[in-house]
Amino acid sequence: MAAAHIQERIKRLIIDQRLPSGAPLPTETELMELLGVSRNSVREALKALQAMGIVEIRHGFGTYVGAMSMAPMIEGLTFRTVAGHYRGEDSLLQLLELREAVETGLIARLAGRIPEADLAELEAVVRRMEAEAAKGAVRAETDRAFHAALYGSLDNTLLSEVLEAFWDAFHRVRTDLVDVPTDPRVTCEQHREILEAVRSGDALRAEEAVRDHFGNIRERLRSAHRE
């Protein structure tokens, strides 16, 4: 039996039995009997599934359903962007454009529809940005918290995880490859404008605010490349 087919059989087992993250899987011996394959074949399949985050092998304890996180996607995006950069491609700008396309496509749905509790959280994050800017720099994690809170009200776990994956990949690559100058005052102003736009319910203003934010990042990246 081909390795890919064994992996698919184990994935189907997880789906058919509706096993949640952290649930134990059958033992290696049980999987051998169930699938009619050798122990080595089972082990190789489980190792491959572990690399995808689908299962977690706890040595001495057994195999469990994994967290099914976006970690493999982040690693793939990061590696592809770095490799492209060293081949002379504008891969970091391409990744930025991917983030921009997704976020500008979503922001109009949020204008005027964000619950008060989420608006209060966004306000707190922007104020934290302003306090950090007054000390010289806005922390990357504060920026991340803003974008996570902004789209959290869509109540779409998969969407939130994908946006987080894009954010993680972009910032990891940017930190490693390009020294991008930042103006903390502008960062605060632009996030404040995004917040006020969605609070006002003006979808066009909100979309323009997000485009301005990404446009500023794009220009700073291009300036860094020219230096």
Side-chain angles (χ1 to χ4, degrees), residues 30-226:
E30 289 169 338
L31 286 172
M32 288 167 55
E33 294 174 356
L34 179 65
L35 303 177
V37 296
S38 68
R39 187 177 301 276
N40 282 341
S41 295
V42 168
R43 287 180 174 175
E44 289 303 314
L46 291 175
K47 286 178 182 177
L49 292 173
Q50 180 171 240
M52 302 176 201
I54 294 173
V55 307
E56 178 187 358
I57 301 171
R58 304 177 191 172
H59 295 290
F61 295 93
T63 304
Y64 299 78
V65 179
M68 302 184 199
S69 73
M70 291 291 175
M73 177 181 175
I74 295 169
E75 291 300 324
L77 276 172
T78 301
F79 180 78
R80 187 192 185 290
T81 304
V82 171
H85 175 84
Y86 284 109
R87 289 196 303 267
E89 300 173 6
D90 287 334
S91 55
L92 190 53
L93 283 170
Q94 291 171 11
L95 183 54
L96 179 68
E97 287 173 358
L98 177 59
R99 285 187 59 202
E100 180 180 5
V102 174
E103 295 201 28
T104 54
L106 293 170
I107 196 68
R109 294 169 55 187
L110 293 170
R113 300 176 186 174
I114 297 182
E116 284 300 321
D118 290 346
L119 287 172
E121 182 179 356
L122 286 164
E123 177 68 38
V125 174
V126 171
R127 289 184 178 178
R128 187 158 74 244
M129 278 186 176
E130 291 165 347
E132 291 171 359
K135 296 178 181 178
V138 174
R139 295 171 60 245
E141 285 306 310
T142 307
D143 177 83
R144 177 179 184 159
F146 179 89
H147 289 268
L150 182 62
Y151 298 102
S153 62
L154 290 173
D155 196 26
N156 184 323
T157 302
L158 181 59
L159 176 61
S160 295
E161 289 179 359
V162 169
L163 288 171
E164 288 265 310
F166 290 165
W167 193 98
D168 276 349
F170 178 80
H171 281 269
R172 283 172 58 179
V173 175
R174 190 193 70 173
T175 300
D176 290 344
L177 297 182
V178 184
D179 182 15
V180 181
T182 59
D183 185 333
R185 178 184 56 83
V186 172
T187 298
C188 289
E189 289 174 353
Q190 291 187 329
H191 285 83
R192 169 65 68 185
E193 173 59 15
I194 293 171
L195 171 57
E196 296 306 328
V198 295
R199 183 162 20 214
S200 72
D202 188 334
L204 290 178
R205 178 185 172 190
E207 185 174 327
E208 187 63 28
V210 171
R211 289 193 184 282
D212 285 347
H213 174 52
F214 280 101
N216 176 260
I217 299 172
R218 185 182 301 107
E219 186 53 40
R220 288 189 282 114
L221 278 176
R222 286 174 175 159
S223 296
H225 279 299
R226 288 194 292 266

